Amino acid sequence: MKKKNVDAQTPEPSRRDFLKKAAVGAAAAGAAAALPTIHVAQAPIVWRWQSTWPTKDIFHEYALDYAKKVNEMSGGRLKIEVLPAGAVVKAFDLLDAVSKGTLDGGHGVVAYWYGKNSALALWGSGPACGMGPNMVLAWHYYGGGKQILDEIYKQLNMDVVSYLYGPMPTQPLGWFKKPIAKAEDFKGLKFRTVGLSIDIFTGLGAAVNALPGAEIVPAMDRGLLDAAEFNNASSDRALGFPDVSKVCMLQSFHQSGEQFEILFNKKKYDVLPEDLKNILWYAVQASSAEMSWKAIDRYSQDYKEMKEKQGVKFYKTPDAILKRQLEIWDGVVAKKSSENPMFKKGFESQKAFAERAGRWESDTLADYRIALNHFFPPKKG
């Protein structure tokens, strides 16, 4: 009997195993290609924030607007939860809480940290060398202001990332028991303000008390304050100013170029992926524009409501008082500059930008009051 040629008819074991595994692998690959890709969802990063504003204030609404943009643009990967003032810390303690990590971030104003370094008030108090709030933001981002603010925070050992946004319209001189006709009317007046505005009103002769927004009207109601300023028609109305005063003086240089500040704890910020950092920054820019538009709509509505339905009388602050504010401010700048190198550095930077940009704007823009009076002539008497 002839021996069969086994090698010619049967594959070698190693070759047979290879072919079998290849066939199984191909079948598995085909099956996998036919199935949808399954992504494992990552838990969102949740940040706890606090604003420096009471819930009813439109400023807290601005903080919520920013958080909403971040939450939606991040597709749920980053979620900011915003609490009102006092929920975790007092309004004036926000900066420290964010720096220490007690809070992951917050929404406030730079002028609230004035007590830590007087230079911080340059981003909220005073006439800003004739610049409006949007121009102050231009100085901050394009004229060197941001670098100076970051340097101040570094000197204070504040472990934060700061973004400024949201130009605030010129703030009223304040709410009074009767119209203010001359600078001398401030002498002995118990008055509320914050930041370097304290120095301006003290220079006018007022006895100044710095209080957060939610505490102002109760203090006026109890007679602890004779008069006060806060910010705008919507905030003032929501906080109840028309319930304790019927006289509001419009136009002032004590806070004519202020803006909001968005804060992040730097350690939490630094570990974010680059795309989420970009979302935080672009949300700042988008919120700045939206806040400006919303302010025009809402402030004008509440201004009209207070005039027509709540009996509030609005008066223009006399030019003599405005000029006196500027004279006092000159003295404040000279004193603070001699005491604080960072104040001197910040003010000189701000002034250099204002000389160029402010003059351009003043020479370029038309006087809108001329057109306004043309279409809506003032009522006689």
Side-chain angles (χ1 to χ4, degrees):
M1 180 181 290
K2 292 184 179 180
K3 185 179 179 181
K4 293 182 180 179
N5 187 350
V6 176
D7 292 342
Q9 296 180 13
T10 307
E12 297 176 1
S14 59
R15 185 165 173 245
R16 182 174 61 246
D17 291 345
F18 172 78
L19 293 174
K20 184 177 179 182
K21 288 179 181 179
V24 172
L35 294 174
T37 303
I38 299 175
H39 296 282
V40 179
Q42 292 183 336
I45 301 169
V46 180
W47 278 358
R48 187 173 63 160
W49 263 35
Q50 183 187 294
S51 79
T52 54
W53 324 112
T55 306
K56 61 185 176 182
D57 189 359
I58 193 172
F59 286 2
H60 187 69
E61 185 178 329
Y62 294 150
L64 294 174
D65 289 341
Y66 176 78
K68 183 174 184 288
K69 286 178 177 57
V70 172
N71 296 347
E72 291 179 353
M73 287 195 289
S74 69
R77 292 168 57 209
L78 176 59
K79 184 178 181 182
I80 296 176
E81 297 176 346
V82 185
L83 301 168
V88 179
V89 296
K90 294 180 180 180
F92 290 169
D93 294 332
L94 178 70
L95 178 64
D96 287 309
V98 174
S99 177
K100 294 173 183 176
T102 305
L103 289 162
D104 300 314
H107 184 280
V109 288
V110 180
Y112 274 9
W113 330 134
Y114 155 80
K116 295 181 178 298
N117 188 312
S118 60
L120 292 172
L122 289 169
W123 282 264
S125 301
C129 300
M131 294 192 291
N134 206 43
M135 193 166 286
V136 172
L137 283 171
W139 162 65
H140 181 73
Y141 285 112
Y142 292 94
K146 187 178 189 310
Q147 289 74 18
I148 295 172
L149 181 59
D150 289 344
E151 185 178 351
I152 294 171
Y153 280 154
K154 186 176 181 180
Q155 289 181 3
L156 293 172
N157 294 316
M158 290 293 128
D159 196 27
V160 297
V161 173
S162 166
Y163 286 121
L164 300 190
Y165 89 110
M168 301 181 193
T170 299
Q171 299 173 37
L173 182 71
W175 294 78
F176 302 85
K177 293 178 180 178
K178 60 181 182 179
I180 298 296
K182 54 188 183 301
E184 289 73 21
D185 291 342
F186 277 95
K187 289 186 177 178
L189 209 64
K190 292 179 289 186
F191 190 83
R192 179 271 177 193
T193 191
V194 293
L196 274 184
S197 298
I198 293 173
D199 298 70
I200 293 176
F201 284 102
T202 298
L204 286 167
V208 178
N209 187 1
L211 292 174
E215 299 178 23
I216 303 171
V217 169
M220 291 182 71
D221 192 39
R222 296 197 302 270
L224 301 176
L225 292 174
D226 298 319
E229 64 80 33
F230 184 64
N231 192 279
N232 66 84
S234 294
S235 293
D236 290 358
R237 188 180 180 213
L239 293 174
F241 277 90
D243 297 330
V244 294
S245 173
K246 297 298 182 185
V247 174
C248 182
M249 305 292 297
L250 299 176
Q251 300 183 20
S252 179
F253 283 126
H254 76 278
Q255 285 176 314
S256 57
E258 194 170 17
Q259 58 286 308
F260 294 104
E261 179 181 42
I262 288 173
L263 287 167
F264 303 105
N265 174 270
K266 192 172 187 301
K267 290 184 178 64
K268 292 288 185 69
Y269 176 89
D270 285 346
V271 298
L272 288 178
E274 198 64 27
D275 66 320
L276 288 184
K277 289 179 181 177
N278 289 334
I279 285 174
L280 293 177
W281 167 229
Y282 291 130
V284 167
Q285 298 176 54
S287 295
S288 194
E290 184 197 30
M291 175 264 158
S292 301
W293 307 329
K294 179 182 282 190
I296 292 171
D297 178 52
R298 295 276 286 280
Y299 295 177
S300 61
Q301 288 182 33
D302 285 310
Y303 176 64
K304 183 178 181 181
E305 289 288 313
M306 287 191 290
K307 286 175 66 176
E308 297 180 357
K309 296 184 179 180
Q310 292 184 277
V312 175
K313 301 293 184 183
F314 291 94
Y315 300 87
K316 181 196 176 302
T317 299
D319 287 348
I321 294 177
L322 298 176
K323 291 177 181 178
R324 180 60 184 142
Q325 286 182 325
L326 296 176
E327 293 170 356
I328 294 171
W329 180 250
D330 286 342
V332 171
V333 168
K335 184 175 185 297
K336 298 298 181 184
S337 294
S338 66
E339 298 171 345
N340 183 353
M342 289 308 301
F343 187 97
K344 185 174 187 292
K345 183 176 182 179
F347 179 76
E348 288 179 350
S349 172
Q350 189 180 80
K351 187 176 182 180
F353 191 85
E355 184 176 15
R356 169 170 57 86
R359 182 58 60 193
W360 162 79
E361 184 177 72
S362 178
D363 291 347
T364 302
L365 298 185
D367 183 348
Y368 291 108
R369 184 174 290 274
I370 295 173
L372 191 66
N373 289 339
H374 171 80
F375 292 106
F376 312 100
K379 295 179 182 179
K380 293 182 178 180

